[in-house]
Amino acid sequence: MNFFQLEVFLHVVEHGSFTKAGDRIGLTQSGVSHNITALETELGVTLLKRDRKGITLTTAGEQVIPHMRAITANLAHIEQKIAAVNGMEIGKITIGSFPSFTARFIPKLFSIFKEKYPNIDLLIHEGGYEEILTWIEEGTVDIGFAAKPVKNVEFIPLLTDPLSAAVYEDHPLSGKTSLNVEDFVDQPFIMLRSGCETLIEDRFLEAKIKPNISYDIKDNQTVLSMVAGKLGITIMPDLAFPEKPERLKSLPLNPELSREIGLVMKSAKHLSPVAKEFTKVVQDHFIG
């Protein structure tokens, strides 16, 4: 068993395909297969199941993959420490982010970091809060961005993002300066299921109001399109609302409802040197 075989195996699991993994690391499909077979032969177990549905981990694979991720992470730390001693900066950081944060902040944060560390590769996995926290726990990503509440991770607060109502331009409520929860009674409601629904549901529950949910949608842009198409109104984070909306109007909630967004990680103490540098860049940008 060697380090390269572990890398090949982890890329296959990440991409769910021998071909995609090979494209990422510069191997043919047969080259990827050869490395996986050699690894399985040496360990004496089957790590991957291959069928029409794709590639999944066997029970043995699920048991050993956390240790393989830990081995590759520790070796990366060693390489980064040696590079730092030699006056070089190398390595990569894998980051988890959710769509509205990605669109608004990731390009700027990556640009700032790459100016300082041009040889560090920045990789991003995009998903919902729960996915990001799972990726942190499994070691798929080094650090992530998510909103409270979170469990079993360290959380560094960065910003507060208010939630607002989104209505179409000529909606009967569009002339109001703000909306309270009672304004939503009997209104067709589109529930955005991207992570903030618990905050919204709690607000309705506190007011003892049951929203008239017409649609449950995960994608921000789909919800906005449906509101613009006069299929209902919604509540969503300000970050997810377009800066120049067409046929839409954003109205603040009264009282205010907001989410707290921050950096999440297993342990700040055990981050790789380059990941620690990235967290510094992020904190400087938001906190100063």
Side-chain angles (χ1 to χ4, degrees):
M1 181 175 65
N2 59 52
F3 178 69
F4 185 68
Q5 290 171 344
L6 297 185
E7 279 196 312
V8 173
F9 173 73
L10 293 176
H11 277 293
V12 170
V13 173
E14 179 181 347
H15 296 288
S17 161
F18 279 29
T19 302
K20 290 179 181 177
D23 290 342
R24 177 67 188 169
I25 54 181
L27 285 179
T28 63
Q29 183 175 348
S30 61
V32 172
S33 180
H34 173 77
N35 277 277
I36 296 298
T37 300
L39 179 61
E40 290 179 325
T41 300
E42 187 167 348
L43 293 177
V45 293
T46 301
L47 300 172
L48 298 173
K49 290 183 286 187
R50 309 161 182 83
D51 54 35
R52 295 179 193 173
K53 296 179 181 179
I55 296 172
T56 55
L57 287 167
T58 63
T59 301
E62 290 176 348
Q63 290 177 347
V64 302
I65 195 169
H67 302 289
M68 291 181 174
R69 285 181 172 136
I71 290 169
T72 57
N74 287 333
L75 186 56
H77 288 196
I78 292 169
E79 290 174 343
Q80 291 163 24
K81 289 287 189 183
I82 297 301
V85 169
N86 292 328
M88 300 181 295
E89 295 290 347
I90 62 169
K92 69 175 182 178
I93 314 168
T94 307
I95 297 151
S97 180
F98 55 93
S100 58
F101 189 92
T102 302
R104 193 67 64 90
F105 296 115
I106 287 297
K108 181 64 175 177
L109 292 173
F110 277 22
S111 178
I112 294 171
F113 186 81
K114 290 294 271 184
E115 270 190 37
K116 197 173 181 181
Y117 302 104
N119 297 321
I120 304 296
D121 292 328
L122 297 173
L123 309 178
I124 189 160
H125 290 245
E126 193 173 72
Y129 303 154
E130 291 300 323
E131 287 177 293
I132 293 165
L133 295 176
T134 299
W135 293 335
I136 291 285
E137 185 178 351
E138 293 177 346
T140 304
V141 301
D142 301 302
I143 53 179
F145 297 97
K148 282 186 172 180
V150 297
K151 293 180 180 178
N152 304 319
V153 295
E154 289 189 23
F155 182 89
I156 300 174
L158 299 175
L159 73 153
T160 299
D161 182 29
L163 276 66
S164 300
V167 303
Y168 49 88
E169 280 181 331
D170 54 352
H171 189 279
L173 297 173
S174 63
K176 301 192 74 168
T177 55
S178 65
L179 298 185
N180 56 50
V181 72
E182 288 76 19
D183 290 317
F184 292 89
V185 174
D186 298 328
Q187 294 288 339
F189 191 82
I190 303 169
M191 179 65 81
L192 176 61
R193 299 280 179 189
S194 63
C196 292
E197 62 269 22
T198 302
L199 292 172
I200 299 167
E201 289 167 344
D202 286 348
R203 174 60 61 88
F204 281 119
L205 192 62
E206 289 168 7
K208 298 181 180 178
I209 291 173
K210 186 176 181 180
N212 177 25
I213 298 176
S214 301
Y215 304 96
D216 287 287
I217 307 293
K218 289 185 178 181
D219 182 71
N220 297 331
Q221 293 307 311
T222 301
V223 170
L224 290 167
S225 296
M226 294 179 78
V227 173
K230 302 185 178 181
L231 296 174
I233 62 177
T234 192
I235 296 173
M236 66 191 318
D238 284 2
L239 274 182
F241 202 79
E243 294 183 12
K244 296 180 180 179
E246 294 184 11
R247 296 176 291 141
L248 294 169
K249 187 172 182 180
S250 176
L251 298 170
L253 298 176
N254 184 22
E256 184 181 282
L257 182 64
S258 61
R259 61 178 176 174
E260 188 172 12
I261 297 170
L263 269 168
V264 289
M265 63 205 73
K266 273 186 180 179
S267 167
K269 290 182 180 178
H270 297 110
L271 286 176
S272 69
V274 294
K276 286 180 180 178
E277 288 302 311
F278 184 78
T279 63
K280 289 178 185 177
V281 167
V282 171
Q283 289 177 273
D284 287 344
H285 181 74
F286 285 103
I287 304 169

